[in-house]
Amino acid sequence: MSSPARILDPADDIGTSAPTPLRALLRWLAFPVLLGAPIAAAIVLMPALGASATVLLLELLAVAAIATSERLLPYTDQWLRSHGDVATDLAHVTVSGVTLAQLVRPALDAGAVLLAGWLAAAGIERWPTPWPTGWPQVAQLALALVVAELPQYWLHRMQHEHDALWRFHAVHHSAPRLYFLNAARFHPLDLGLLYAVGYVPLIALGCPEDVLALFLLFDGTFGMLQHSNVDARLGPLNRVFSMAEPHRWHHSRELNEANTNYGSNLTIWDVVFGTYYLPHDVAPPVDIGIPDMPRFPAGYLAQLAAPFRWRRVKQQSA
């Protein structure tokens, strides 16, 4: 049984007293600084360093900045303490966050070529339309986010509605708390599919390498922020970006709350399709996880095996 959401104090969205002026300011600066600074730096550095080196350098700096911000500006002290999850999350980071990304990209390139060839064979020779390479890089990045988000939204929604997909996606929702490392807590097959539906359309549409690099940097940094224990606030922009405030409800143990906010980076499709959820009179519970599987495997190897022994896992973890 999940813990009830906590009634908010009108003076402060999460605490029992009004925040200091400095903390209030930092809440609003956290998102534009922690996400905007890496993107701006990438645009400046890529011509000199190249796409791959720039993304690697700035993602490492983003990890350090977000981890530090969790200590200086935490959303809740409960998520600062280890829940016996660090080793598992580090293993997911190593495999899903590093190794898988290196293996998936060539496969996505091949898939995009096949998609373009299928479209040409079907007589759709003028579609996909050429990517607007003349646009500013920031505008191209915005377009890439919108294009990739639509198939990722529907895949994520189906992962919650169909058991054949949920058995893989459940690994992500097994996290006992939200902090920057569990942005990579995904079964490799689950994450590979998410990559595919988002990146293949971009590659097939002719999205250039520098914009794909910006998208990769945005996606990786945003994922850490989305799952972070940083008390960042977006206000009305929560209806654009699927940041931590709405995403915490997605990890609720109450299904009517968890089956919302499917956006990976943006909430625009949640708004369009009616799955956006962000109440302002209550806070999301900090006791998160899978409600009907409280003993879901906690170890990395056991989580990799869980989808393939799903019936037994459900029986043992109920």
Side-chain angles (χ1 to χ4, degrees):
M1 183 175 180
S2 63
S3 59
R6 177 164 49 83
I7 300 297
L8 294 175
D9 187 290
D12 177 15
D13 285 3
I14 182 152
T16 57
S17 60
T20 65
L22 176 60
R23 183 180 179 91
L25 176 63
L26 292 176
R27 284 172 164 179
W28 293 101
L29 288 178
F31 177 70
V33 170
L34 292 172
L35 182 64
I39 298 301
I43 293 174
V44 173
L45 294 176
M46 265 197 294
L49 298 181
S52 298
T54 299
V55 170
L56 177 60
L57 171 63
L58 292 176
E59 282 199 339
L60 290 174
L61 292 175
V63 168
I66 295 170
T68 302
S69 298
E70 288 191 334
R71 297 291 164 177
L72 298 177
L73 190 67
Y75 172 74
T76 172
D77 289 344
Q78 291 188 45
W79 287 347
L80 289 176
R81 299 186 295 271
S82 172
H83 287 47
D85 50 355
V86 175
T88 296
D89 286 325
L90 284 173
H92 279 292
V93 167
T94 302
V95 176
S96 297
V98 179
T99 306
L100 183 64
Q102 300 303 316
L103 296 175
V104 165
R105 181 57 193 275
L108 297 185
D109 288 338
V113 170
L114 290 174
L115 175 59
W118 178 83
L119 291 168
I124 315 175
E125 297 179 358
R126 296 186 62 83
W127 193 92
T129 54
W131 189 266
T133 54
W135 288 11
Q137 283 181 317
V138 172
Q140 292 185 59
L141 172 60
L143 177 61
L145 289 168
V146 173
V147 169
E149 190 68 52
L150 181 59
Q152 287 184 331
Y153 167 87
W154 281 108
L155 172 62
H156 193 182
R157 187 166 173 172
M158 289 190 292
Q159 286 170 331
H160 282 255
E161 295 175 352
H162 300 281
D163 195 60
L165 294 173
W166 170 249
R167 66 178 61 196
F168 293 94
H169 191 59
V171 170
H172 181 64
H173 282 268
S174 68
R177 59 171 172 151
L178 291 177
Y179 72 120
F180 75 101
L181 270 185
N182 58 30
R185 181 184 279 238
F186 281 93
H187 194 283
L189 294 179
D190 184 37
L191 188 59
L193 185 58
L194 188 66
Y195 277 160
V197 301
Y199 280 81
V200 166
L202 296 179
I203 299 169
L205 282 165
C207 184
E209 186 71 22
D210 59 336
V211 178
L212 283 173
L214 287 177
F215 180 84
L216 180 64
L217 177 61
F218 186 105
D219 191 44
T221 305
F222 191 93
M224 288 187 288
L225 280 172
Q226 184 187 57
H227 293 84
S228 73
N229 187 29
V230 178
D231 190 15
R233 304 301 169 94
L234 271 70
L237 287 179
N238 279 310
R239 297 182 71 88
V240 178
F241 296 103
S242 184
M243 249 288 285
E245 290 174 274
H247 196 71
R248 289 177 186 128
W249 287 104
H250 181 69
H251 282 265
S252 170
R253 296 172 65 87
E254 299 289 344
L255 290 182
N256 64 312
E257 297 169 351
N259 291 341
T260 62
N261 301 332
Y262 295 110
S264 295
N265 295 306
L266 305 177
T267 51
I268 56 173
W269 299 118
D270 283 294
V271 172
V272 169
F273 297 114
T275 52
Y276 177 73
Y277 181 73
L278 184 60
H280 296 290
D281 56 343
V282 290
V286 295
D287 179 20
I288 64 172
I290 308 174
D292 56 348
M293 303 179 74
R295 297 179 182 85
F296 190 87
Y300 177 71
L301 293 178
Q303 290 186 353
L304 290 188
F308 306 104
R309 49 192 300 272
W310 190 237
R311 182 177 298 177
R312 179 174 296 181
V313 166
K314 289 199 292 187
Q315 293 173 344
Q316 292 176 342
S317 61

